[in-house]
Amino acid sequence: MKLKINGDISPSYVQTLCLLYYPASRFSDKDDDGVSVTASVKRSGGAICSEVTIEDKGVAYTGTYSLSEEEKLSRPSMAEKISLGKAFLEAGKRATGVTPPWGILTGVRPSKLARWNLDAGMTPDEAASVFEREYSVSPDKAKLSCIIAEAERKLLEKPYHGKCSVYIAIPFCPSRCSYCSFVSFTSERLLSLIPEYHGVLLKEIRRTAELIRRIGMDVSTVYIGGGTPTVLNEAQLDSLLDCITDSFDVPSLDEFTLEAGRPDTITEEKMKSAYSHGVTRVSVNTQTLNDEVLSLIGRKHTSSDFFRAYDIARRSGVKDVNVDLIAGLPKDTEKSFSDTLDRVADLRPENVTVHTFCVKRSAEMKTSGGYDLRDAAASGSVRYSQSALMAAGYVPYYMYRQKNAVGNLENVGFTLPGREGIYNVLMMEEIQSIFAVGASAVTKLVKTDPTDGKISIKRIAENKYPYEYLREKTDQDARSVCEKQEDEIVSFFGKE
């Protein structure tokens, strides 16, 4: 897609608007896909005037919008973006017939923006009105944002500031989902690295625990994520959990999560070990209960395997169980998804997370073309999930959005009252440092200035691939680099 931009506006913002209508597009100096966009924004007196023209296969569609000086915005700094975004909505609707449910809202998480408005003294109705008026968000999405913002505010009443969480990455899976480009490794050669990776990971967990003690922080939550952590065998998982309980004060944690993930990797021995080591939350992620769809997307389990694994997790004694579902999967109809959701809700897991199907750039399905980013079934599935789960007593408590999601839709976490997954909110709200261990893991340091409340954030990424991670952690020169990095982290928090 070719872009031409006139005026003081961020090219990345214009690209994001383009992706609302032409998902997964690439931008260049040529209109290789037959689409070009011209976007203009300028001030005329006190008004801001914007015009967008989309030329799609030789046909031009134009949208305009003028934001007057008298129009008051909740965030005046967004005036140019709002003006251009609304012009883009008009042009995009004419070109494609699509009206994005989230309007021009890009970048910032919707619930975070809603929480800012609630913290500024707005009522939920007033905050929802801002979403509709300024960002052209649909009424149901505006209301959802405010419901989640209020749930987050209640959850964060507990003093999590000044503490930290720990994320431990197990970037291996028994098979690769065809829609996924998440850093997880499935070939026999890479899976053979697990024993060495496991040994190095234990050393890094102990090292991270010592660093946290050096800084003087308490740990709120520990989250073992993937990949699929339960790809580890029983002995490996047991020694990993031993290391965690030896390194951190597990009884004092607010939450200890094991993202068990694939039902075909869950055994009674692994869940017994999880419970005995103080794990309080596990995820058993089926994505769908349609066996045909499971086979199509590359999952190596069936719906029967899920019910077996869920029963094991429930009988283990672990307090909270989460189930992940995906709306809009290829060949999964609205009726099929609704059936999946109803069967999962009947089990009464404490958490249900409903993701919208999203194909990453490097995923196998992306190159094979086996998906439709405008599948209308996804919208109905997401709508049904929210109404059905809330009717069943679940509360939406966190939400995020991804580029290239079907229908420009959202991912929402639901909980039975009082059983929220705390780590998810702490990680997204950036009120707490997350110390991440393992290949592809990203440490996110968060510091608040006590004088002016300004937040500083520093990210430190580990090597993406396990073999790179292992090479660095076992090389003497690299270990000295790690020590220097640790000193930088200590300095970031103003410690000696």
Side-chain angles (χ1 to χ4, degrees), residues 70-378:
E70 290 75 27
E71 289 184 74
K72 295 189 180 298
L73 301 176
S74 60
R75 299 177 71 198
S77 62
M78 292 287 293
E80 279 84 2
K81 286 187 173 182
I82 289 173
S83 174
L84 184 65
K86 292 197 172 188
F88 216 112
L89 286 187
E90 184 180 341
K93 183 177 181 180
R94 289 175 177 172
T96 67
V98 173
T99 301
W102 286 101
I104 63 172
L105 203 57
T106 63
V108 65
R109 289 197 311 109
S111 56
K112 192 169 190 176
L113 179 58
R115 196 153 59 84
W116 289 342
N117 290 336
L118 293 174
D119 289 344
M122 292 186 189
T123 66
D125 286 345
E126 290 170 338
S129 177
V130 168
F131 274 78
E132 296 177 47
R133 184 180 68 254
E134 297 183 8
Y135 302 101
S136 300
V137 175
S138 68
D140 60 325
K141 302 302 182 190
K143 182 178 179 181
L144 177 66
S145 298
C146 293
I147 291 173
I148 291 174
E150 289 191 290
E152 288 179 347
R153 291 175 83 198
K154 183 177 180 180
L155 181 65
L156 296 175
E157 286 176 354
K158 188 169 181 176
Y160 290 107
H161 291 274
K163 298 183 179 182
C164 68
S165 289
V166 176
Y167 177 85
I168 298 166
I170 311 293
F172 301 92
C173 283
S175 66
R176 178 166 174 152
C177 297
S178 54
Y179 54 81
C180 182
S181 69
F182 192 78
V183 182
S184 57
F185 301 93
T186 59
S187 72
E188 287 188 18
R189 183 177 70 85
L190 288 168
L191 289 173
S192 70
L193 294 175
I194 289 178
E196 183 183 3
Y197 180 86
H198 173 265
V200 170
L201 187 68
L202 300 189
K203 293 178 182 178
E204 289 303 303
I205 290 171
R206 297 186 186 101
R207 187 168 187 156
T208 299
E210 179 56 39
L211 174 62
I212 292 171
R213 284 191 288 271
R214 183 179 170 190
I215 295 169
M217 283 186 174
D218 293 326
V219 179
S220 297
T221 71
V222 173
Y223 191 106
I224 308 173
T228 305
T230 43
V231 75
L232 300 179
N233 62 36
E234 281 83 358
Q236 290 165 342
L237 180 62
D238 200 60
S239 61
L240 170 64
L241 295 171
D242 276 343
C243 178
I244 292 170
T245 55
D246 288 344
S247 302
F248 304 103
D249 184 10
V250 168
S252 72
L253 296 177
D254 294 301
E255 180 178 88
F256 184 4
T257 296
L258 171 65
E259 190 179 323
R262 303 291 188 93
D264 45 318
T265 66
I266 294 173
T267 66
E268 290 198 20
E269 291 77 10
K270 291 176 186 179
M271 289 299 100
K272 286 179 180 177
S273 179
Y275 175 72
S276 67
H277 284 89
V279 169
T280 61
R281 184 174 183 269
V282 296
S283 284
V284 184
N285 300 334
T286 186
Q287 316 300 32
T288 177
L289 294 177
N290 183 321
D291 286 338
E292 179 185 357
V293 176
L294 285 170
S295 177
L296 176 66
I297 64 176
R299 305 284 280 198
K300 300 301 183 184
H301 66 85
T302 64
S303 56
S304 295
D305 291 329
F306 163 73
F307 286 109
R308 175 196 61 80
Y310 183 89
D311 182 60
I312 290 172
R314 178 54 74 203
R315 287 188 290 104
S316 71
V318 173
K319 185 179 71 169
D320 293 329
V321 179
N322 171 74
V323 177
D324 274 10
L325 302 177
I326 299 180
L329 285 167
K331 307 299 183 182
D332 203 13
T333 65
E334 185 176 340
K335 183 179 184 306
S336 173
F337 176 84
S338 300
D339 178 65
T340 289
L341 186 104
D342 290 344
R343 294 167 73 189
V344 167
D346 284 345
L347 296 173
R348 303 302 286 174
E350 284 69 27
N351 301 157
V352 179
T353 307
V354 181
H355 302 269
T356 300
F357 177 54
C358 178
V359 178
K360 298 298 187 179
R361 180 168 290 178
S362 62
E364 173 190 332
M365 194 176 288
K366 175 74 164 54
T367 57
S368 66
Y371 69 101
D372 180 0
L373 282 169
R374 298 182 189 176
D375 184 358

